[in-house]
Structure formats: structure tokens, C-alpha cells
Amino acid sequence: MKPANYDFLSKLLREKSGLVLSEDKMYLLENRLAPVARKRGMADLDVLTDTLRTSADAGLLSDVIQAMTVNESYFFRDKTPFNTFKQHTLPALMPTRTAKKELRIWSAAASTGQEPYSLAMVLKQDIRVAGWRFDILGTDLSSAVLEKAKVGLYSQFEVQRGLPIDLLVKYFKQVNDMWQLDAAIRAMVRYKTYNLLENIRTLGTFDVIFCRNVLIYFDPPTKTKILNEMSRMMPPDGQLFLGGAETVVGLTDRFKPIPGQRGVYSINGTALKAAS
Ligand SMILES: C[S@@+](CC[C@H](N)C(=O)[O-])C[C@H]1O[C@@H](n2cnc3c(N)ncnc32)[C@H](O)[C@@H]1O
């Protein structure tokens, strides 16, 4: 690929999806985009780039963005955030919300659904929340991954990664060589295609935001902008969960780390209540 075309594509990806490609990632771009070009009968990536430059082919742009994004996810990824959510977040937030008995939760890069469904399974099993209403929203840039999430069909490999066997038995049924998540759990999550670079505040307000393993792909100003926007979408005691390699430190002072809970932040930084 011509270096000028690499520059064009990396700039376009940064603008449209936030993805930052360092200068040595030409091989990655070529590997991921070659199938997109082939599928459309284009001779090579220079043709693909010229098409993007000269036409308003939204379908091609979307295919390019989706080919470049990492969609990897698994149930109860890193375990601790889900234990924290159950043992600390719920006991900290519920006492001040007994009038409405409602919690709004956003999985901001939901990918194929394992993250919001892990939260839904935690809630489904918790007797403390009987009579409560949970609005769980899963968003992602890619509508293709959200389609998979909605169907809730996972391979043996996918259910083996992180999902406790008792939850597999309880909430999944085998469909040929796949496993389908129970309709009642699927119904707890609604999905919406949404780009985090867009005006996310139109999504409303949330008591808990899981924004895990997506900021890592963005440059610092983009991370700061998204984190600041999120801080305006939460009450002071709302809790933000980031991925293991992500932090707010050096990016914004609107969120404070919650003492003792790695990767969990709130606006007031209040210490969490101990598990009851
Ligand atoms: C690595 S997955 C993380 C999934 C899940 N949060 C987890 O931790 O397992 C990253 C997801 O972020 C999505 N993504 C990337 N850029 C995005 C953007 N600008 N807006 C919304 N989602 C984006 C990708 O499509 C992908 O599904």
C-alpha cells in the first residue's frame, strides 16, 4: 500500500472510530482490510482507499471500521469487576434509590453481549434486588456484533471462557453445536448501535457504566472527552468501571478512584460499603 494511503486510512479511522494506529501498523491494516477489498472485487488496498476518498460509500467505510476493531469479549471478563458490582456497587447504590427501585446500567462497548449479559445474570440471581427494575443498555459502534448479542448464541469456546458451569447449566440451552442464552436474560438488555465519539449524552443518565477495554484504543484527548461526557451522565455516587489496562489518571479529575476497588471510579470517590 502506498504510504500516503496508509496515512489517509489511519486518519480516517481515528476520526470516525477513535482508533489510533501507530506508524508501524501497516501490516495490521493490510491483513484486516485485504478481505474487505477482496469481497468487493477490488484489486488491492490502494483501490479501496481511492474509493473511500472519492465516493461517499458509507457501507465500505463501515466495513473498514468493523474490520479494524477488536471485538474480543468473554463472560465475567477479569471476574473482579463483576464481584465488585455484586458485593459493593449494589449495596452502595441501592439504599439511596429505594423510592424508585430502579438502576440504570450502561455497557458502553458491549461487543457480542458477554459483558451486559454477565451483569444481567448477576442481577437475576440476587434475591436482594427482588422488586427492582434494571435498565441495562448495551451499545457498540458495530451493529454486526450487536446482532450477535441479541441472538445470544455462543460457541462452546465462548461459553468455556469465563462462564461458571452452574450458570451455563442454568441459563443456556444447547442448540446444535452452540449454546443459546435464556430469553429472560436476553430480555434484560436492550441494544443500540452507538459511536462513543458521538454525542453520548443523548443516551441519558446511568447509575453504573461499564466502559471496559475500549478506551485503550483511543488517543488521550479522545479518552478525556469521553470520560468527561460520562461524568455528566452520572449522579455523584454513580460508578464507572474501566478495563484492567485503563485509568482516569492523567486524563480527567472529574472521576476519582474508589479506594480499594481497582478500576472503579465515581465522581465523589466515596468509599464503597462493605458487602452485607
Ligand atoms: C475489545 S471489545 C470490549 C468488549 C467488552 N467491553 C469487554 O471488555 O469484554 C471493544 C469493543 O469496542 C467497540 N468500539 C470500538 N470503537 C468504538 C467506538 N468509537 N464507539 C463504540 N464502540 C466502539 C468495538 O466494536 C468492540 O466491540
Side-chain angles (χ1 to χ4, degrees):
M1 188 194 329
K2 291 180 196 150
N5 284 345
Y6 177 77
D7 292 345
F8 174 82
L9 282 176
S10 38
K11 188 161 171 273
L12 187 72
L13 283 162
R14 183 187 285 233
E15 266 170 31
K16 302 290 181 190
S17 75
L19 177 69
V20 177
L21 287 174
S22 53
E23 275 172 21
D24 58 347
K25 289 291 187 320
M26 192 183 286
Y27 72 95
L28 179 73
L29 200 84
E30 287 177 338
N31 271 348
R32 298 263 182 87
L33 297 189
V36 177
R38 247 195 325 270
K39 200 175 101 191
R40 291 176 177 248
M42 295 170 173
D44 53 32
L45 295 189
D46 290 321
V47 176
L48 182 146
T49 315
D50 286 342
T51 311
L52 281 172
R53 243 197 217 105
T54 53
S55 78
D57 187 339
L60 177 60
L61 176 61
S62 162
D63 285 357
V64 164
I65 290 172
Q66 298 203 20
M68 292 306 299
T69 51
V70 176
N71 299 124
E72 162 145 322
S73 188
Y74 39 97
F75 290 103
F76 296 94
R77 185 173 191 168
D78 303 333
K79 279 197 189 126
T80 308
F82 299 92
N83 290 336
T84 300
F85 174 74
K86 178 181 155 78
Q87 292 169 0
H88 298 285
T89 306
L90 291 175
L93 298 189
M94 285 170 68
T96 51
R97 288 159 174 81
T98 48
K100 278 180 114 180
K101 289 197 166 182
E102 186 187 275
L103 273 184
R104 296 199 70 212
I105 300 163
W106 178 24
S107 167
S111 189
T112 37
Q114 287 92 331
E115 181 176 280
Y117 287 146
S118 299
L119 292 167
M121 283 186 271
V122 168
L123 291 168
K124 187 77 176 172
Q125 297 207 97
D126 195 329
I127 50 162
R128 295 169 302 179
V129 302
W132 282 65
R133 211 180 77 77
F134 296 98
D135 182 19
I136 309 177
L137 173 66
T139 61
D140 201 283
L141 171 72
S142 159
S143 37
V145 290
L146 295 184
E147 284 313 310
K148 178 173 156 85
K150 284 178 200 165
V151 178
L153 264 180
Y154 298 95
S155 67
Q156 182 73 35
F157 175 68
E158 287 170 317
V159 295
Q160 267 167 359
R161 293 181 85 192
L163 184 69
I165 187 79
D166 57 318
L167 296 186
L168 177 66
V169 172
K170 199 165 174 185
Y171 294 125
F172 288 76
K173 76 166 189 284
Q174 199 156 10
V175 180
N176 302 319
D177 57 349
M178 303 288 278
W179 293 87
Q180 187 163 37
L181 181 59
D182 192 76
I185 304 286
R186 279 185 280 142
M188 291 173 71
V189 183
R190 63 192 172 91
Y191 290 103
K192 195 174 166 81
T193 306
Y194 218 89
N195 188 340
L196 289 172
L197 304 193
E198 283 166 24
N199 181 10
I200 51 177
R201 282 167 74 185
T202 61
L203 292 171
T205 57
F206 297 91
D207 302 294
V208 178
I209 299 179
F210 269 58
C211 181
R212 307 194 66 237
N213 305 302
V214 64
L215 293 182
I216 196 171
Y217 300 107
F218 302 160
D219 61 16
T222 307
K223 293 180 201 192
T224 297
K225 181 170 179 284
I226 293 170
L227 288 167
N228 285 343
E229 291 290 88
M230 286 181 170
S231 75
R232 297 187 179 95
M233 300 166 71
M234 304 183 87
D237 65 343
Q239 297 192 4
L240 169 71
F241 286 71
L242 297 183
E246 294 160 334
T247 179
V248 303
V249 176
L251 295 169
T252 179
D253 52 14
R254 295 184 70 90
F255 281 111
K256 305 194 177 38
I258 295 180
Q261 302 300 324
R262 202 164 168 267
V264 192
Y265 304 87
S266 73
I267 292 163
N268 63 14
T270 307
L272 296 170
K273 280 195 169 179
S276 49

